[in-house]
Amino acid sequence: MPNATQAVRNPLAYIAQHWTPSPGTVRRAAMAAVVMSVLIVVTGGAVRLTSSGLGCPTWPTCTNDSLTTTSAMGIHGAIEFTNRMLTYVLCAAVGWAIIAARSAKPWRRGLTRLGWAQFWVVMGNAVLGGAAVLTHLNPYVVASHFMLSPLLITFAVLTWQRSREGDGAPRPLVGKPVVQLTWVLAAATGALIAVGTLVTGAGPHAGDRSDVPRVPIDWKTIAQLHADLAWVVCGLATALWFMLRAVDAPGGPRHRVRDLLVVLLSQGVIGYVQYFTHLPELLVGLHMLGAALIWIAVVRVLLSLRERPHADTPVPAPAELQAPQPAPTA
């Protein structure tokens, strides 16, 4: 039974021998992983905002005696256990992306590796989520748990983008100053998200109704720093937009920065409204969704600064390096 033996030893290679997905299928698989990487952020926020962080008081089982939630644990146990089950849905989406990338013809090794990078981040985040429960929602562990989400989103968006382009050498579409400013924008956005986790760690939404440790900082002070960083990010994004227009950059980078500005302004409105309305749970949840969308927009801006043609597609030389064409003769 050579086929059965091969399927057990190397199931991905076996599937690749018997299935060739279309390019559209590979792209849809990659997009499913992007959607689930955002959804798990939202549902994780729902666990915290409904005070269900310890709805399952232990890990990896829900209780010492039960793998799943029980009726005695009420709605908080159901919410926390549902979020844990969504991790398996996320794994399925990432697994589909890996299988589709591995089965595509020709095989693109780099695309498969990006899928595996997502898988290992999911595994690491699951362990951190368990550590958060076992440490009774230690705010620093919870913050670390959340900060792996942008990394997962980065790999997911990169996988989706690479599924839509070739494997040729990347060709820059803008000059080095634009690239440098974009990386500064990305670093500032990362700092903005990190400080946002401290706001949550010091704020009123502890994740459980019991005595949960908090970050020993006045949450209004750290919220002000968060707002200041948000203005810095908005300023950098606006400067980048004007710079792209000044150098007459291609439409792709300009459109991606425009999208980022729209998401930033929407997030800013939600942020200020939630602050002045004393952090209602629904708006805080929308703000967490906005954080994921902002990071996606930043990653897309970075990726829009270059293009990767298919390996067999000739890359045209810049206009100033092309040989002049002879004038047509009558």
Side-chain angles (χ1 to χ4, degrees), residues 115-139:
W116 279 111
Q118 294 180 62
F119 174 80
W120 291 116
V121 173
V122 172
M123 293 298 100
N125 217 2
V127 172
L128 273 178
V133 172
L134 295 177
T135 58
H136 301 284
L137 304 184
N138 179 284

Side-chain angles (χ1 to χ4, degrees), residues 72-275:
M73 301 171 69
I75 186 64
H76 297 300
I79 292 174
E80 163 65 6
F81 186 73
T82 299
N83 184 63
R84 292 188 184 188
M85 291 300 99
L86 281 176
T87 301
Y88 294 100
V89 180
L90 172 61
C91 287
V94 172
W96 183 30
I98 294 172
I99 293 172
R102 178 62 182 86
S103 302
K105 309 295 188 299
W107 176 30
R108 301 172 62 185
R109 186 184 297 271
L111 198 60
T112 307
R113 286 175 174 173
L114 285 171
W116 279 111
Q118 294 180 62
F119 174 80
W120 291 116
V121 173
V122 172
M123 293 298 100
N125 217 2
V127 172
L128 273 178
V133 172
L134 295 177
T135 58
H136 301 284
L137 304 184
N138 179 284
Y140 302 104
V141 178
V142 173
S144 300
H145 179 51
F146 179 80
M147 285 305 297
L148 273 185
S149 297
L151 182 60
L152 174 61
I153 290 172
T154 299
F155 284 130
V157 173
L158 186 55
T159 304
W160 176 71
Q161 177 67 28
R162 294 288 290 113
S163 71
R164 301 167 63 238
E165 57 189 12
D167 287 325
R171 183 172 72 94
L173 298 176
V174 296
K176 187 175 180 179
V178 176
V179 176
Q180 291 173 334
L181 179 58
T182 306
W183 278 108
V184 172
L185 169 63
T189 306
L192 173 66
I193 295 174
V195 172
T197 65
L198 293 179
V199 176
T200 304
H205 297 297
D208 189 77
R209 299 185 185 280
S210 61
D211 186 18
V212 174
R214 315 299 294 136
V215 176
I217 307 174
D218 176 48
W219 78 267
K220 292 186 177 180
T221 300
I222 200 69
Q224 182 61 56
L225 174 60
H226 183 62
D228 293 341
L229 279 172
W231 282 109
V232 170
V233 171
C234 287
L236 289 170
T238 303
L240 179 60
W241 186 78
F242 278 111
M243 179 181 286
L244 290 171
R245 290 183 62 87
V247 301
D248 196 22
R254 289 188 286 111
H255 295 160
R256 297 292 80 76
V257 175
R258 178 202 61 196
D259 296 343
L260 173 60
L261 284 169
V262 170
V263 179
L264 281 171
L265 292 176
S266 302
Q267 179 78 331
V269 170
I270 294 173
Y272 277 107
V273 172
Q274 72 169 359
Y275 179 83

Side-chain angles (χ1 to χ4, degrees), residues 8-70:
V8 172
R9 290 181 176 178
N10 195 336
L12 290 180
Y14 180 81
I15 294 173
Q17 288 180 359
H18 295 81
W19 178 54
T20 300
S22 67
T25 298
V26 177
R27 290 192 293 269
R28 286 190 291 272
M31 177 53 70
V34 174
V35 172
M36 281 306 305
S37 68
V38 174
L39 181 61
I40 204 72
V41 171
V42 176
T43 58
V47 170
R48 186 182 192 93
L49 295 171
T50 57
S51 299
S52 302
L54 295 177
C56 287
T58 189
W59 184 88
T61 59
C62 192
T63 71
N64 291 328
D65 302 319
S66 175
L67 177 64
T68 65
T69 184
T70 63

